[in-house]
Amino acid sequence: MAEQIDCNLLVAKALTLAGVTHMFGVVGIPVTSLATCSVASGVRFIAFHNEQSAGYAASAFGYLTSRPAVLLTVSGPGAVHGLAGLSNASANAWPLVMISGSCNQFDAGRGDFQELDQIAAVKPFVKFSVKVKDIREIPSSVFGVVDLAGSGRPGGCYLDIPADVLHQSLPESEANRLLNEAESNRKLETVKNVTNDEIAKAISVIRKAERPLIVFGKGAGLARAEDEIKMLVERTGIPFLPTPMGKGLLPDTHELAATAARSLAIGKCDVAVVIGARLNWLLHFGEPPKWSKDVKFVIIDIDEGEIELRKPYVGLVGDVKRVVNVLNKEIKDDPFCLGRSHPWIEAITSKVKENVSRMEAQLAKDVVPFNFLTPMRIIRDAIIGLGSPAPILVSEGANTMDVCRSVLVQTEPRTRLDAGTWGTMGVGLGYCIAVAVASPDRLVVAVEGDSGFGFSAMEVETLVRYQLPVVVIVFNNGGVYGADRRNPEDITGPYKDDPAPTSFVPGAAYHLLIEAFGGKGYLVGTPDELKSALTESFSARKPAVINVTIDPFAGAESGRMQHKN
Ligand code: ADP
């Protein structure tokens, strides 16, 4: 009889042929063999405690490498947990392929083990989904999900493999024929080409601008367009503003960085070139009162729908790297540069100086019990002390993430991951693991609120199991916003003696959690204790948790969000 190949191995072969190198997930019925076959085929499998964290990890891996990783889940509840990662990937426009096992096709509809219509469940969160009904459909379906997740505007794709299909096999010769066929029929999402007229219109409005601004976001990071954007900024002398995850594409220390003068820059600019960033809530929808009502937007985005939605003065559809390259060539042929004495540059520069010195005065104080600023300054200085390559920073939490964004300095591309477009809390540990796996030469530093950390704290075991160089710094203020801040007269009713909805156990010993698995924990409450823990853990490059005691009455809801709560 001809050599047979089993479905698990066929999926693994198709994945490697399609370029998948990493899988994140939780094994169980019916996908355990799929995980082991993938490892045997050369795919690295990182095993988690919860599909939610595995999904966040897979999405971050996609962002950092610009290629989709796979999130592998079991059927039913596993797939439901995986939706967190799938939806987070699509919300952030990051590539991700989720593969779930599902119940036997012939038992569907009569209450099979972990039965769920998973195709219906993933629908709002995917660019494309497919359920294979027979082993012969595996190669083309695997290439389909991988290619669509990573092309056009990246996002989540889903592949559903019923248990009975996973148990099928077919002759190896036929499998190879199907794999070859699928590989030669690969289809990437097509992207419209920008026209010469659109480029000319963009150049003309940029050239005529009196107060131009370049804004870039994580789409530019995904496109790895830092060199092209640097050239655009430096050729034109236009100041720039990164979005929270765009930070580092050009160094925060660059003389044209307008980050510390954000309100002035967006409030007064007359032309804004927005590169790989959406004019969503993070950029105040591009509308007054934060932006001037007359501002003209030039938007560069791979997604035509984004241009249709925002209706900018000029929309340039295409890959950021390619489009900015075309702009740079046009500008080189007829150069212009604002120069340091241009009134707009002077206004931005002097506002940056004023705001930075005000912030530095605050940061210079050693406040104990810790507020948010004192430990953040100490962390900033310790990170700067490490030089290059800079550690990759992961950050989440309300105050912690906001203060972290303003105080820490990013000098290298794709070195800052945070709660992102969706403001997703609980991404921290998953992101740390993905970062450490994607960039093994880098230290990973997470700066997390205690609430954000708590969502996925058990994954500290995963850090220890894989011995990843991740230092998690928990800002422990004992609750979602800290201490119980309710007015005493509002605390009434039969459950008035319960802890406040915002509270956790005061003084929780998060540092001991990692010690349960053999990692290193530190409890710190003073500048000297924090400095010493950072020095030791940064040089050890081993999994560690630093539990930083923060005054439970320090801080409040993030400025941008206060009106929503
Ligand atoms: P940020 O949160 O940093 O503002 P967003 O996630 O809102 O960034 O926006 C990223 C944008 O980048 C999305 O609209 C996406 O379509 C776009 N994008 C992703 N990859 C590319 C690429 N290679 N070229 C151009 N645009 C891209």
Side-chain angles (χ1 to χ4, degrees):
M1 200 173 115
E3 263 322 287
Q4 294 280 305
I5 177 168
D6 115 297
C7 184
N8 294 295
L9 192 54
L10 182 59
V11 176
K13 280 190 169 212
L15 285 171
T16 52
L17 269 181
V20 170
T21 57
H22 287 72
M23 230 182 217
F24 301 81
V26 179
V27 295
I29 296 171
V31 297
T32 309
S33 297
L34 177 48
T36 49
C37 284
S38 299
V39 174
S41 302
V43 175
R44 188 166 192 202
F45 187 89
I46 307 292
F48 280 71
H49 288 267
N50 186 315
E51 294 88 353
Q52 194 166 333
S53 289
Y56 293 147
S59 66
F61 188 91
Y63 170 58
L64 291 169
T65 62
S66 313
R67 282 177 315 187
V70 167
L71 160 62
L72 183 69
T73 86
V74 302
S75 38
V80 169
H81 293 166
L83 293 180
L86 191 64
S87 52
N88 189 60
S90 290
N92 281 308
W94 292 349
L96 168 75
V97 169
M98 172 161 135
I99 300 181
S100 300
S102 57
C103 77
N104 286 330
Q105 296 178 84
F106 37 85
D107 288 326
R110 56 199 199 111
D112 195 18
F113 174 66
Q114 299 193 330
E115 178 186 332
L116 172 72
D117 181 351
Q118 291 161 201
I119 290 288
V122 300
K123 195 157 183 265
F125 308 119
V126 288
K127 291 177 73 175
F128 171 67
S129 64
V130 57
K131 177 173 185 146
V132 292
K133 297 181 185 64
D134 182 274
I135 185 172
R136 285 168 187 78
E137 297 167 19
I138 290 285
S140 59
S141 303
V142 166
F143 278 99
V145 286
V146 171
D147 290 342
L148 279 176
S151 60
R153 170 186 275 173
C157 286
Y158 174 66
L159 174 62
D160 189 291
I161 318 182
D164 53 296
V165 175
L166 283 168
H167 295 146
Q168 292 174 353
S169 57
L170 87 176
E172 196 158 9
S173 54
E174 188 178 356
N176 288 336
R177 183 181 62 72
L178 291 169
L179 286 169
N180 288 338
E181 214 172 86
E183 199 177 15
S184 44
N185 288 334
R186 292 184 84 154
K187 278 191 205 76
L188 301 180
E189 194 177 317
T190 49
V191 177
K192 198 190 109 187
N193 257 341
V194 66
T195 65
N196 291 343
D197 284 355
E198 288 164 337
I199 292 285
K201 190 172 174 195
I203 296 279
S204 154
V205 73
I206 296 169
R207 208 181 275 280
K208 284 190 203 135
E210 283 172 22
R211 296 175 306 282
L213 179 69
I214 291 173
V215 178
F216 49 79
K218 59 184 177 316
L222 194 57
R224 306 182 111 71
E226 50 271 17
D227 294 342
E228 290 74 10
I229 294 178
K230 182 168 186 278
M231 189 177 282
L232 179 67
V233 164
E234 291 179 354
R235 261 190 195 163
T236 59
I238 298 176
F240 67 85
L241 182 73
T243 66
M245 272 200 245
K247 254 166 86 76
L249 271 183
L250 264 67
D252 285 341
T253 48
H254 193 289
E255 60 178 359
L256 287 167
T259 320
R262 186 177 189 274
S263 299
L264 173 76
I266 67 175
K268 292 275 188 288
C269 70
D270 59 352
V271 171
V273 184
V274 180
I275 308 177
R278 283 167 283 189
L279 287 177
N280 57 15
W281 67 281
L282 279 162
L283 286 171
H284 318 285
F285 306 105
E287 290 170 352
K290 295 284 184 182
W291 296 80
S292 143
K293 73 174 176 23
D294 299 319
V295 59
K296 291 189 170 104
F297 285 106
V298 175
I299 296 185
I300 306 174
D301 202 290
I302 201 152
D303 185 53
E304 204 174 344
E306 189 60 26
I307 308 289
E308 278 161 14
L309 175 69
R310 310 294 173 188
K311 302 195 179 10
Y313 183 75
V314 190
L316 305 177
V317 179
D319 179 64
V320 163
K321 213 172 160 70
R322 204 172 49 76
V323 175
V324 176
N325 214 2
V326 176
L327 290 177
N328 284 336
K329 282 204 184 110
E330 292 292 321
I331 289 164
K332 187 168 169 234
D333 291 344
D334 186 5
F336 73 98
C337 185
L338 299 191
R340 273 187 208 175
S341 55
H342 189 284
W344 173 235
I345 304 301
E346 278 188 346
I348 297 255
T349 313
S350 91
K351 191 72 188 166
V352 165
K353 275 200 190 119
E354 182 190 326
N355 287 351
V356 167
S357 62
R358 196 178 306 138
M359 175 64 117
E360 286 304 320
Q362 292 295 315
L363 287 168
K365 300 175 201 155
D366 269 348
V367 178
V368 182
F370 277 149
N371 59 5
F372 286 83
L373 290 176
T374 299
M376 210 61 91
R377 182 205 76 224
I378 295 169
I379 295 166
R380 176 193 69 181
D381 293 347
I383 289 177
I384 290 173
L386 292 173
S388 181
I392 301 186
L393 178 78
V394 172
S395 182
E396 63 176 330
N399 288 282
T400 310
M401 185 172 72
D402 279 352
V403 176
C404 182
R405 188 181 54 245
S406 341
V407 175
L408 266 54
V409 181
Q410 243 60 49
T411 53
E412 295 176 35
R414 293 167 294 281
T415 54
R416 183 174 188 284
L417 284 90
D418 69 11
T421 304
W422 251 13
T424 315
M425 292 298 143
V427 290
L429 269 285
Y431 282 7
C432 285
I433 292 163
V435 170
V437 168
S439 310
D441 57 325
R442 300 261 185 166
L443 177 70
V444 184
V445 177
V447 183
E448 309 231 322
D450 50 346
S451 161
F453 174 71
F455 278 88
S456 57
M458 187 50 88
E459 302 299 348
V460 293
E461 187 276 336
T462 312
L463 293 182
V464 177
R465 190 165 12 105
Y466 290 95
Q467 280 299 299
L468 301 172
V470 177
V471 177
V472 182
I473 305 165
V474 182
F475 275 45
N476 184 357
N477 64 354
V480 174
Y481 299 115
D484 185 354
R485 293 165 195 208
R486 294 172 296 180
N487 293 324
E489 61 272 20
D490 293 336
I491 310 175
T492 57
Y495 304 110
K496 66 181 172 30
D497 294 328
D498 272 356
T502 50
S503 298
F504 298 142
V505 168
Y510 296 121
H511 55 293
L512 296 183
L513 205 58
I514 195 163
E515 299 218 330
F517 309 107
K520 180 77 186 157
Y522 302 86
L523 174 64
V524 304
T526 66
D528 284 346
E529 287 168 354
L530 178 56
K531 283 178 200 166
S532 141
L534 292 171
T535 307
E536 193 177 302
S537 60
F538 283 4
S539 68
R541 298 178 67 93
K542 296 262 185 234
V545 170
I546 304 178
N547 186 2
V548 185
T549 306
I550 303 284
D551 176 356
F553 287 95
E557 174 58 284
S558 128
R560 204 180 291 169
M561 306 302 294
Q562 231 153 20
H563 67 288
K564 295 193 194 275
N565 206 341

